[in-house]
């Protein structure tokens, strides 16, 4: 008599993802986001930032819409106000950071942008230790200030506006999550963002948007920057404490700086690397102490 065999689990992308440690899923998602930013910045030679943002949001809206299939009916006026606001914040966050990418190094833009979620964490806390993290982030800002003469002031301004938009995105994301199931709120917000950016994206992109190679790169930006990281992060959060997830996400500025160096040849000075390190440390520290106090 033969030895009974255990039935094999059918292969699927979900089972494959679940076989990978969640820490690696988050790290791959971070690399994917910043690689998408690097590809987007290369696209600026043939497409303006507004058109690239529109292609990214359009890709995310189509793919998420097909996968999630959000329910559009039976929504209250409050639901629509929140999700539309969420979509506007999503569009503005992407618009401002891509404008910053076009003017200053990737790592610096993301470092400044990351001050938005850090400010939300620090301002929402009543613990004295968070003053330390705020001071550390401030040190990073001072380090960037010492190099501000070599940076485009408009690029810095756009990165700051991206930070403000990211803070609003976080607050509206939480409100949307309370009103919409799963990823349906994000799918609807992506549609709102794509519609909002369509006039500027189409007008500025012009005939270049008819080039299939440009559209292919735009699709790559949308997949790398939105679809892949969101899918991986959602899977990781099912198996990982939010505290660990938050600490890992603080690596975004360093990942952006490395991608900028490897893909775009963007060299940072010692002071700029110090600024990146200060913001990473402040974000990681704030995340750990926030979780330990809950």
């Amino acid at each position: 008599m033969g030895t009974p065999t255990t039935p094999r689990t059918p292969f699927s992308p979900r089972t494959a993802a679940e076989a990978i440690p969640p820490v690696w899923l988050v790290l791959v998602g971070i690399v994917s986001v910043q690689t998408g930013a690097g590809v987007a910045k290369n696209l600026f030679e043939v497409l303006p930032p507004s058109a690239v943002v529109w292609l990214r949001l359009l890709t995310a809206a189509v793919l998420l819409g097909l996968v999630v299939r959000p329910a559009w009916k039976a929504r209250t006026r409050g639901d629509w106000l929140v999700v539309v606001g969420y979509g506007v914040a999503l569009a503005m966050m992407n618009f401002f950071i891509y404008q910053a990418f076009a003017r200053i190094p990737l790592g610096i833009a993301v470092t400044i942008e990351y001050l938005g979620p850090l400010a939300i964490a620090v301002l929402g806390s009543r613990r004295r230790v968070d003053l330390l993290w705020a001071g550390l982030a401030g040190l990073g800002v001072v380090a960037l200030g010492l190099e501000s003469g070599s940076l485009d002031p408009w690029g810095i301004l756009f990165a700051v506006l991206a930070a403000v938009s990211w803070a609003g995105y976080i607050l509206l994301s939480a409100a949307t999550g309370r009103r919409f199931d799963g990823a349906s709120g994000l799918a609807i917000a992506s549609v709102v963002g794509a519609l909002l950016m369509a006039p500027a994206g189409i007008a500025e992109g012009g005939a270049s948007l008819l080039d299939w190679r440009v559209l292919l790169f735009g699709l790559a930006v949308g997949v790398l920057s939105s679809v892949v990281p969101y899918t991986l992060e959602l899977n990781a959060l099912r198996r990982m404490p939010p505290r660990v997830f938050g600490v890992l996400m603080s690596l975004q500025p360093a990942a952006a700086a490395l991608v900028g160096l490897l893909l775009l040849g963007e060299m940072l000075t010692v002071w700029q690397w110090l600024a990146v390190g200060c913001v990473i440390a402040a974000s990681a520290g704030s995340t750990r102490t926030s979780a330990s106090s809950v």
Side-chain angles (χ1 to χ4, degrees), residues 40-48:
K41 187 160 184 173
N42 275 323
L43 260 181
F44 294 162
E45 296 179 3
V46 292
L47 275 183

Side-chain angles (χ1 to χ4, degrees), residues 14-237:
R14 180 173 180 178
T15 56
E18 289 175 350
I20 301 173
V23 169
W24 284 104
L25 293 180
V26 176
L27 293 177
V28 171
I30 290 172
V31 172
S32 181
V33 168
Q34 302 309 333
T35 301
V39 173
K41 187 160 184 173
N42 275 323
L43 260 181
F44 294 162
E45 296 179 3
V46 292
L47 275 183
S50 296
V52 179
V53 171
W54 177 62
L55 286 177
R56 171 181 173 173
L57 292 172
L58 181 64
T59 301
V62 171
L63 293 180
L64 286 173
L66 292 174
V67 173
V68 177
R69 297 185 181 276
W72 295 83
K73 298 180 179 179
R75 299 295 182 187
T76 66
R77 183 172 180 271
D79 292 341
W80 284 111
L81 287 175
V82 169
V83 79
V84 168
Y86 184 33
V88 171
L90 176 64
M92 291 299 97
M93 179 176 68
N94 284 283
F95 173 77
F96 288 134
I97 197 59
Y98 276 36
Q99 293 290 341
F101 288 163
R103 293 167 173 82
I104 59 178
L106 210 66
I108 301 304
V110 174
T111 297
I112 296 173
E113 183 193 30
Y114 214 82
L115 296 175
L118 180 59
I120 292 291
V122 172
L123 294 175
S125 171
R126 298 179 180 178
R127 294 169 296 109
R128 292 182 179 179
V129 69
D130 277 327
L131 294 177
L132 170 65
W133 307 128
L136 191 57
L139 180 62
V141 173
V142 171
L144 281 179
L146 294 175
E147 294 284 333
S148 60
S150 62
L151 298 173
D152 186 326
W154 282 104
I156 296 174
L157 176 60
F158 280 125
V160 170
L161 291 173
V164 174
S165 299
W166 196 354
Y169 170 86
I170 291 172
L171 297 175
L172 287 164
S173 176
T176 301
R178 291 190 291 268
R179 292 172 176 266
F180 292 82
D181 296 330
S184 60
L186 177 62
I188 296 173
S190 296
V191 173
V192 172
L195 291 174
L196 180 65
M197 288 302 305
I202 295 172
E204 295 186 20
S208 296
L209 291 171
L210 301 177
D211 188 330
W212 68 268
R213 291 166 297 184
V214 171
L215 292 177
L216 187 61
F217 275 104
L219 175 64
V221 171
V223 171
L224 288 170
S225 299
S226 298
V227 179
V228 169
Y230 177 76
T231 302
L232 295 180
E233 290 164 10
L234 192 63
N235 187 287
L237 279 168

